[in-house]
Amino acid sequence: MRLSRKWLSEFVDVNVGDRDYSETMTMSGSKVEAIHLPGSEIKNVIVGKILSISPHPNADKLAVCQVDTGKNVIQVVTAAKNMKEGDLIPVALDGAVLADGKEIHSGSLRGEVSQGMFCSVAELGLTLHEVPYAVEDGLLILQEDCSPGDDIHPVLGLDDHVIEFEITNNRPDCMNVIGLARETSAVYNVPMRTHTPQVKAQGPNIADLLNVRVEAPDLCPRYTAHMVVDVHIGPSPRWIRDRLSASGVRPINNIVDITNYVMLEYGQPMHAFDFSCVEGDTIVVRRAGADATFTTLDGIERRLGENMLVIADENRAVGVAGVMGGENSEITDSTTAIVFESANFNGTSVRTTALSLAMRTDASSRFEKGLDPSMTVNAVDRACELVELLGAGTVCAGMIDVDNSDKTPVTLRLEPERINGLLGTDISFEDMVRMLAKLGFTVDGDLVTVPSWRSDVEHMADLAEEVARLYGYDNLPVTSFNGSAASGGYTRRQAMKNTAGAVCRALGYTEILTYSFISPSAYDMLRLPEDDKRRSYLEILNPLGKDTSSMRTSSLPSMLDTLQLNVSHRNKAVKLYEFATVYHPDGKGGAEEPVILTLGCYGGNTDFYTIKGDTESILSQFGIEGAEYEADASDPSYHPGRCARISCGEVRLGTVGQIHPLVCGNWDISVPVYTAELDLEAVFRCSNTEKTYTPLPKYPPVARDLALVCRDSVTVAALTRCIKAAGEPFLKEVDFFDVYKGTGIADGFKSVAFSLLFRSDEGSLRDEEVNACIDSILKEVSDKFGAVLR
Amino acid sequence: MITQLEQIREKAIERVRSAANLQELEQLRIKYLGKKGELTALLKNMGKLSAEERPVVGQLANSIREKLDSAMKDRTEALSREAMDLRLQEEALDVTIPGKTTELGKKHPMSIVLDETKEIFIGMGFEIAEGPEIETEYYNFTALNTKPGHPARDWQDTFYLREDSSVLLRTQTSPVQVRVMEKKKPPIRIISPGRVYRKDEVDATHSPMFHQIEGLVVDKGITMTDLKGTLVQFVGKLYGPDAKLRFRPHHFPFTEPSCEIDIMCFECRGEGCRVCKGEGWIELLGAGMVHPRVLEGCGIDTDIYSGFAFGIGVERLTMRRFSVSDMRLFFENDIRFLSQF
């Protein structure tokens, strides 16, 4: 909302600078976004009077003028033709700056001195809308009441100061001059001048000319209409044009300008129809129903929804209620009779209509917030008053007012102790009454009546806010609450998650954050079969785009996107982790939202075993030592020979592996990529961080290395399990350290080396005891796997 | 004999002290103290001395032996030290060669700021609450006093998962307030950080997914001055004690009175500059007293309890903290960006 301070000064006197004013209004709840000084870029341009015009001695197309600048007479050379002696013209003097920032200096043109430049409207940053008597391609011959030497700013209304407010949704009453004047008067504690429109209404009675029928009172609580006959369409006077321009509204003609002027002043959107276009002399307010299309004022054909409210005559729609009028009833230069519509429409209905027609207008943006139905009459009276003032036509006697609005005022109890209790203040009842009165509330005993324009106030807490903002939020003291002593902190799970992150970083992984929604095509790119459960995802019905329409059920696509981006930026050796929430439909409309700790890496020394080792480190941090890794060739996103499913007992913890080359190809990744997906909740569930001290061994261990030759298909895990079982009771540790294939080992076989540690808690082990263990191990691995000592 | 002894002493000690290395020293030990050494040989002749001479000579011989021993020991130590010094000198490294590091990973910049924020509030006695991102219309809007038809509910602004608008991606972390209040009776002191979603196209300052931290305190006698106190304390810890705040009225459906809190522009100290778009202040967070209707909807008696709530945008906080001017960098995750923090 742009507020002209000149306009404001009609209602209230505040003699403070723009910055002070903005600061004060902001701190009382009307936030100022910007201060505009239209025309402030123009400097040293004054009114000049042409004393004489003579041809340029050396150039046919130029003229040499003697100009009275109020102080002296200067010579100006011009190429323009539309001036004559005696004309008043804006003159840019030596050193002047024009609206576009261009500087003007004295010089000479084809040998004749020129001490300034005559200006056109455009050079002053204006158009024919603001200065209708001007010409587009010539000098601006001023028709204002001014004298040579006058500064051009006040002459063309370029001396206003405009304050731009950001008005919150709940305060539509502040989206107009009177509303902001009311706030200003309350905040500065200065009186406000109110104005009641006076209308002579000397035309025929409206009741004899027009009927209004409201068929949808639920969407149109009030419809007020006035008529004007003998209309003379023409430009508005300067002061109206200036104020509209300052408010960011383009002047059009007197009647349209009046509707806009009243909207800006009162906050009541108005519309003017050409009466001759109203067929059957009847205005019908109804739902669009079967009316399929309608062409609005801007010449665009709109498809109407059947529940949209339209203003119609007996046969067809002439306007979309509260949004925009129709081209078929537009005011034109030949219009002679008009209908002023000043109505109250249901805010939600206007909003949804404007939204689905994609045409948010000044009118709709006001209606949608819910307007005060009691202001339609004052507003339309003001419009008629302006018609008479401007001599734009003859106002008809009487008025049509179909009023189904609920005007029961809201009353609330004023409870100072509750308000003070909420604010932490000690403001007296009397002070509260005084503050509320300034804002238009009336208080009788302890009963507060809320003014009709403040539909946002409906609760004690709302009154508290009114009191607080006039008291000044900054004047509220700063306290710390004691309350019951609380001890804050992380829950166990939160602390564990923090630990998991710290371990990842210690292992060299950097954290990423990615969007929760992915493209549905990502599931194809992961090569998931049609019946994979990750394909049943929750779909965003109104996504920004198809590629962000699926709530991810897998964290891999986001990780692969990120790895791809880093590969394409030629970043070498990247290791990333994410606490990636995924969303599995819970069958009840909602979702389970587990967090998958996702690792991803490429480059450097990374291979399957490094990411597996990192995964083991993470699990070991949570005391999960016995996690099992089982070859998994069934996950289509992974390399069938380099993927392990991880579990702990019955609990599935996740997957680790190398991404399938086809999947890499789908992501346009040309290097081997390794990922791990760990279900954080499962990890926490299996975690065992309870520690108990085990006494240190009293007797020394005996170490032996063992190299076994076995078939390729025998896994290290199986061998280890077998060795452990067979080495009882003295075998304490089994560590795999090497696998060898090549010279000396037959094709299809491998040599696997372990280092074993034997110890007894009873005494130092003798060689025979250790040898017996080894023998039993060798027998077992031979029986089970056909493995032999190398 | 005494003269001989004294000669040995002089000479031997002198030679020991000037021995050039450990081998020479060993030879000297053998020469004087060895089984066939000079001193040993002399002492073998002690029997030939008179009874009066014997103790005198014996004493002298012992003292010479001791002196020689200790001179040897000193010299041995000195020589070993020299040898070690030499070795250490040879072992000297170019300490400016980069160390063998295990490269540590980094926290995402938003996690850094988020964690700091959590720590500050934990220090003030807050707990951390979490809630679902896929929410119902009830928790996201209705329970938060957002009426049917409110613009925030538009399909233009909110992502929906059901045609009847009953399930959506939460647009704020505030529904967690309601979920906590339904389960737990006051005193309540929580913050709830998390992802939220609004239908904004991606640009330098907008993202359809972003992060908020919700705060909620409900107890007996909680006032707006307590809200101010809490936020002043928080901002002081985050930005230092010089950070200057202003509280100005604003509107949110679920708080009343509501406010927005601005921080004085770091760049211009309130004068107005490009950073603050000429205002001198930068919007930091929104807050207010929990609307009594919201409390009552959760079964909390507003005759006894009151509360305040606040919401902080993590992206903005982080952008300001690290002077990041484009929000897209946070979700792009280029390692060259992430490794700067």
Side-chain angles (χ1 to χ4, degrees):
Chain A
M1 167 74 199
R2 290 166 62 103
L3 174 70
S4 145
R5 287 203 66 180
K6 274 193 187 170
W7 202 340
L8 176 71
S9 68
E10 222 172 79
F11 296 96
V12 64
D13 295 319
V14 267
N15 300 314
V16 296
D18 295 327
R19 262 196 88 104
D20 275 2
Y21 179 68
S22 301
E23 171 80 11
T24 306
M25 292 304 283
T26 294
M27 294 308 285
S28 70
S30 309
K31 182 161 188 257
V32 172
E33 290 277 84
I35 301 168
H36 304 282
L37 304 173
S40 60
E41 57 289 343
I42 300 170
K43 298 204 171 69
N44 212 18
V45 178
I46 53 121
V47 177
K49 184 175 184 179
I50 301 184
L51 300 176
S52 66
I53 305 174
S54 52
H56 191 290
N58 307 319
D60 293 346
K61 295 201 167 148
L62 298 179
V64 180
C65 306
Q66 302 304 315
V67 182
D68 175 6
T69 68
K71 282 190 200 137
N72 52 4
V73 175
I74 61 169
Q75 176 169 300
V76 174
V77 179
T78 180
K81 299 277 178 257
N82 67 324
M83 69 287 175
K84 60 181 191 306
E85 284 175 12
D87 278 352
L88 294 169
I89 297 184
V91 184
L93 300 176
D94 183 42
V97 182
L98 301 181
D100 62 359
K102 192 172 131 195
E103 285 188 35
I104 301 301
H105 294 288
S106 300
S108 80
L109 277 170
R110 307 288 295 270
E112 283 292 325
V113 170
S114 185
Q115 294 164 289
M117 191 189 92
F118 296 145
C119 302
S120 66
V121 270
E123 280 156 344
L124 298 173
L126 299 170
T127 66
L128 299 198
H129 286 287
E130 289 87 21
V131 193
Y133 58 78
V135 291
E136 202 114 38
D137 52 355
L139 302 180
L140 168 54
I141 313 295
L142 295 165
Q143 294 179 21
E144 312 294 334
D145 181 15
C146 57
S147 328
D150 288 354
D151 179 53
I152 201 68
H153 290 95
V155 171
L156 288 173
L158 293 171
D159 56 344
D160 205 350
H161 294 199
V162 178
I163 311 294
E164 189 178 341
F165 288 93
E166 175 202 302
I167 303 295
T168 50
N169 269 331
N170 61 326
R171 293 300 304 273
D173 64 297
C174 283
M175 287 183 71
N176 57 73
V177 179
I178 290 176
L180 285 170
R182 195 185 292 126
E183 282 289 316
T184 305
S185 127
V187 171
Y188 280 92
N189 203 13
V190 290
M192 177 161 162
R193 287 182 290 275
T194 50
H195 169 76
T196 309
Q198 305 296 324
V199 189
K200 296 191 201 85
Q202 290 156 327
N205 197 303
I206 187 172
D208 300 332
L209 301 171
L210 181 72
N211 291 310
V212 171
R213 197 164 73 236
V214 176
E215 291 180 355
D218 54 330
L219 301 185
C220 176
R222 191 168 191 178
Y223 195 96
T224 309
H226 250 300
M227 275 186 65
V228 181
V229 292
D230 301 330
V231 170
H232 315 291
I233 300 293
S236 305
R238 253 282 311 285
W239 62 274
I240 289 203
R241 283 183 274 119
D242 286 352
R243 288 182 181 184
L244 293 183
S245 303
S247 309
V249 175
R250 214 174 65 177
I252 311 255
N253 62 44
N254 49 6
I255 296 299
V256 174
D257 291 355
I258 284 171
T259 61
N260 284 328
Y261 190 93
V262 173
M263 175 178 74
L264 292 167
E265 191 170 61
Y266 283 71
Q268 171 67 53
M270 291 187 58
H271 185 59
F273 312 89
D274 188 327
F275 178 61
S276 68
C277 304
V278 178
E279 294 172 13
D281 298 342
T282 301
I283 285 174
V284 184
V285 184
R286 59 167 170 84
R287 286 180 165 80
D291 292 349
T293 57
F294 175 68
T295 305
T296 40
L297 271 176
D298 49 11
I300 298 174
E301 191 177 88
R302 313 274 177 177
R303 183 169 296 277
L304 299 179
E306 58 179 312
N307 276 319
M308 290 179 181
L309 190 69
V310 295
I311 310 301
D313 56 26
E314 289 290 13
N315 303 315
R316 53 180 192 156
V318 294
V320 181
V323 182
M324 196 180 270
E327 198 179 48
N328 56 17
S329 54
E330 188 180 4
I331 305 291
T332 63
D333 288 347
S334 55
T335 298
T336 57
I338 58 155
V339 179
F340 273 132
E341 164 194 295
S342 176
N344 189 269
F345 299 116
N346 174 288
T348 307
S349 159
V350 171
R351 190 172 51 81
T352 47
T353 299
L355 210 57
S356 47
L357 295 178
M359 50 183 312
R360 205 157 176 270
T361 59
D362 277 343
S364 77
S365 67
R366 286 180 162 78
F367 276 123
E368 68 179 31
K369 295 181 178 76
L371 295 181
D372 174 10
S374 66
M375 69 180 172
T376 59
V377 173
N378 256 348
V380 80
D381 279 348
R382 175 65 169 153
C384 293
E385 180 185 55
L386 289 172
V387 166
E388 291 178 349
L389 189 68
L390 268 52
T394 308
V395 175
C396 290
M399 171 178 78
I400 293 176
D401 186 19
V402 184
D403 186 5
N404 294 302
S405 65
D406 176 10
K407 280 185 282 300
T408 325
V410 173
T411 54
L412 296 166
R413 205 157 290 284
L414 182 59
E415 300 163 288
E417 62 294 337
R418 289 202 79 153
I419 291 177
N420 281 322
L422 203 57
L423 300 180
T425 48
D426 191 18
I427 303 168
S428 72
F429 180 83
E430 290 70 30
D431 283 346
M432 288 188 190
V433 172
R434 242 191 310 281
M435 289 179 201
L436 291 172
K438 286 198 275 181
L439 292 165
F441 293 76
T442 52
V443 187
D444 184 13
D446 64 352
L447 211 61
V448 182
T449 303
V450 178
S452 61
W453 60 84
R454 288 302 303 275
S455 58
D456 62 308
V457 178
E458 46 184 19
H459 196 283
M460 176 279 293
D462 299 316
L463 289 180
E465 180 169 276
E466 296 305 299
V467 169
R469 67 189 188 89
L470 284 194
Y471 182 80
Y473 279 19
D474 266 6
N475 295 326
L476 295 174
V478 172
T479 58
S480 64
F481 57 96
N482 345 333
S484 336
S487 66
Y490 293 109
T491 61
R492 181 161 170 269
R493 302 248 143 149
Q494 289 161 354
M496 284 167 98
K497 189 174 165 200
N498 290 345
T499 304
V503 175
C504 288
R505 292 190 296 280
L507 293 168
Y509 291 81
T510 289
E511 188 185 16
I512 61 169
L513 290 178
T514 61
Y515 286 146
S516 316
F517 27 62
I518 59 174
S519 169
S521 69
Y523 304 107
D524 297 332
M525 291 163 74
L526 285 180
R527 303 177 68 240
L528 300 185
E530 285 309 315
D531 60 349
D532 193 291
K533 86 173 180 30
R534 283 168 286 182
R535 280 190 183 269
S536 50
Y537 56 83
L538 289 168
E539 187 189 356
I540 300 172
L541 301 180
N542 55 336
L544 282 179
K546 187 79 182 150
D547 59 339
T548 51
S549 65
S550 162
M551 293 307 288
R552 65 184 175 194
T553 54
S554 165
S555 59
L556 280 185
S558 311
M559 178 56 81
L560 292 171
D561 282 346
T562 309
L563 292 172
Q564 193 277 331
L565 176 125
N566 280 284
V567 170
S568 72
H569 288 178
R570 294 165 201 272
N571 298 330
K572 290 172 194 155
V574 170
K575 294 165 89 178
L576 305 172
Y577 78 96
E578 179 175 25
F579 289 114
T581 307
V582 295
Y583 308 83
H584 296 300
D586 63 3
K588 292 174 283 183
E592 317 233 317
E593 303 182 6
V595 175
I596 307 300
L597 172 54
T598 310
L599 306 182
C601 56
Y602 67 81
N605 64 349
T606 54
D607 60 22
F608 174 82
Y609 292 112
T610 59
I611 193 162
K612 187 190 173 202
D614 294 337
T615 309
E616 287 166 342
S617 299
I618 293 166
L619 295 180
S620 122
Q621 176 66 35
F622 293 103
I624 305 175
E625 302 292 356
E628 284 159 46
Y629 295 78
E630 216 182 316
D632 184 0
S634 68
D635 192 322
S637 307
Y638 285 91
H639 187 309
R642 295 184 178 181
C643 174
R645 58 163 64 215
I646 312 167
S647 50
C648 176
E650 295 295 298
V651 183
R652 172 82 190 270
L653 297 180
T655 302
V656 58
Q658 178 179 345
I659 291 296
H660 197 293
L662 288 174
V663 174
C664 277
N666 290 339
W667 257 275
D668 203 14
I669 300 175
S670 51
V671 296
V673 163
Y674 304 89
T675 62
E677 303 162 75
L678 288 173
D679 181 340
L680 212 55
E681 191 53 39
V683 171
F684 293 164
R685 215 160 50 235
C686 295
S687 85
N688 173 20
T689 45
E690 287 300 312
K691 305 283 186 194
T692 322
Y693 158 73
T694 311
L696 301 180
K698 286 191 190 117
Y699 302 101
V702 176
R704 293 282 176 89
D705 287 351
L706 204 61
L708 300 171
V709 176
C710 59
R711 295 197 165 276
D712 275 341
S713 57
V714 180
T715 66
V716 171
L719 279 175
T720 309
R721 261 196 307 275
C722 178
I723 294 170
K724 270 187 180 162
E728 295 277 351
F730 300 131
L731 179 62
K732 301 297 181 194
E733 284 172 33
V734 181
D735 285 321
F736 160 84
F737 72 85
D738 189 35
V739 62
Y740 170 78
K741 288 166 69 106
T743 322
I745 306 291
D747 265 2
F749 287 82
K750 62 186 173 184
S751 162
V752 185
F754 296 92
S755 79
L756 311 180
L757 208 66
F758 299 89
R759 190 172 54 230
S760 163
D761 293 332
E762 311 298 324
S764 295
L765 282 177
R766 284 171 294 129
D767 269 357
E768 304 91 86
E769 290 172 307
V770 176
N771 291 342
C773 281
I774 298 271
D775 287 347
S776 114
I777 288 168
L778 288 175
K779 179 171 185 311
E780 203 59 31
V781 294
S782 161
D783 288 355
K784 264 204 173 141
F785 305 111
V788 295
L789 197 60
R790 187 176 169 193
Chain B
M1 194 161 179
I2 288 175
T3 330
Q4 273 176 308
L5 276 171
E6 278 173 350
Q7 270 172 4
I8 288 176
R9 182 175 70 185
E10 305 259 302
K11 205 167 172 193
I13 288 181
E14 174 55 35
R15 287 189 63 178
V16 164
R17 283 191 180 146
S18 59
N21 52 47
L22 291 173
Q23 289 96 313
E24 192 183 329
L25 208 55
E26 179 61 13
Q27 279 160 12
L28 288 171
R29 194 187 62 78
I30 294 164
K31 180 175 166 65
Y32 294 108
L33 299 173
K35 278 181 186 163
K36 291 174 183 168
E38 289 180 23
L39 191 60
T40 321
L42 255 171
L43 291 178
K44 274 182 188 159
N45 295 329
M46 283 265 288
K48 295 172 186 166
L49 295 177
S50 65
E52 297 84 50
E53 271 182 316
R54 218 176 288 153
V56 181
V57 172
Q59 224 172 1
L60 180 62
N62 279 337
S63 97
I64 289 171
R65 179 187 285 276
E66 274 167 27
K67 283 214 174 92
L68 212 53
D69 268 342
S70 109
M72 289 240 182
K73 211 172 134 203
D74 287 350
R75 189 60 191 154
T76 309
E77 269 176 29
L79 285 173
S80 333
R81 211 175 303 123
E82 270 171 35
M84 182 187 281
D85 285 347
L86 201 66
R87 198 181 76 232
L88 294 182
Q89 215 169 353
E90 283 164 1
E91 284 173 0
L93 298 177
D94 178 354
V95 297
T96 66
I97 290 172
K100 295 171 189 166
T101 54
T102 307
E103 205 162 321
L104 294 177
K106 299 293 180 76
K107 247 188 218 182
H108 194 282
M110 291 217 291
S111 294
I112 296 174
V113 173
L114 191 59
D115 286 352
E116 275 179 14
T117 306
K118 286 185 200 168
E119 296 290 343
I120 292 172
F121 281 108
I122 283 174
M124 290 159 76
F126 284 69
E127 288 176 350
I128 295 164
E130 284 152 320
E133 294 169 31
I134 292 175
E135 255 302 359
T136 61
E137 162 279 329
Y138 175 78
Y139 283 108
N140 196 72
F141 291 128
T142 307
L144 290 165
N145 198 33
T146 310
K147 292 175 182 152
H150 190 280
R153 290 175 178 257
D154 278 340
W155 277 53
Q156 196 120 329
D157 295 323
T158 299
F159 291 114
Y160 284 96
L161 303 173
R162 293 261 295 245
E163 286 293 349
D164 63 1
S165 304
S166 61
V167 181
L168 44 78
L169 296 186
R170 66 177 178 190
T171 60
Q172 48 199 1
T173 39
S174 313
V176 182
Q177 279 186 29
V178 180
R179 289 178 174 275
V180 168
M181 286 192 286
E182 280 181 351
K183 285 202 199 87
K184 190 173 184 284
K185 291 302 139 203
I188 293 170
R189 207 181 291 188
I190 55 145
I191 59 164
S192 175
R195 299 173 162 219
V196 299
Y197 305 83
R198 288 184 200 171
K199 211 177 158 187
D200 287 323
E201 291 287 347
V202 175
D203 67 22
T205 53
H206 292 90
S207 168
M209 181 189 93
F210 55 102
H211 296 72
Q212 274 189 345
I213 303 167
E214 186 80 8
L216 174 72
V217 171
V218 182
D219 205 345
K220 289 175 191 163
I222 294 293
T223 69
M224 191 137 176
T225 60
D226 297 332
L227 164 63
K228 281 185 75 173
T230 304
L231 294 176
V232 165
Q233 203 181 338
F234 162 64
V235 173
K237 283 188 175 150
L238 193 68
Y239 288 119
D242 295 336
K244 200 166 163 353
L245 293 183
R246 73 172 186 188
F247 290 71
R248 58 180 166 76
H250 196 70
H251 171 67
F252 302 107
F254 40 93
T255 51
E256 192 76 31
S258 303
C259 56
E260 261 184 346
I261 291 107
D262 300 335
I263 187 163
M264 187 178 272
C265 180
F266 305 101
E267 195 67 27
C268 63
R269 304 300 305 164
E271 291 301 309
C273 67
R274 246 191 47 223
V275 173
C276 56
K277 296 187 192 113
E279 288 190 51
W281 297 87
I282 297 169
E283 197 183 306
L284 196 63
L285 55 97
M289 301 306 291
V290 183
H291 199 294
R293 280 208 198 112
V294 174
L295 293 174
E296 282 155 14
C298 300
I300 291 177
D301 186 347
T302 52
D303 284 334
I304 304 173
Y305 297 107
S306 54
F308 64 76
F310 54 87
I312 307 170
V314 184
E315 275 76 1
R316 282 205 200 169
L317 221 55
T318 311
M319 288 170 85
R320 199 157 308 133
R321 170 69 191 280
F322 297 119
S323 304
V324 174
S325 55
D326 193 332
M327 203 184 275
R328 283 170 290 206
L329 288 165
F330 291 143
F331 301 107
E332 202 177 75
N333 299 302
D334 188 320
I335 195 80
R336 294 169 299 173
F337 171 74
L338 297 176
S339 58
Q340 291 180 23
F341 303 97

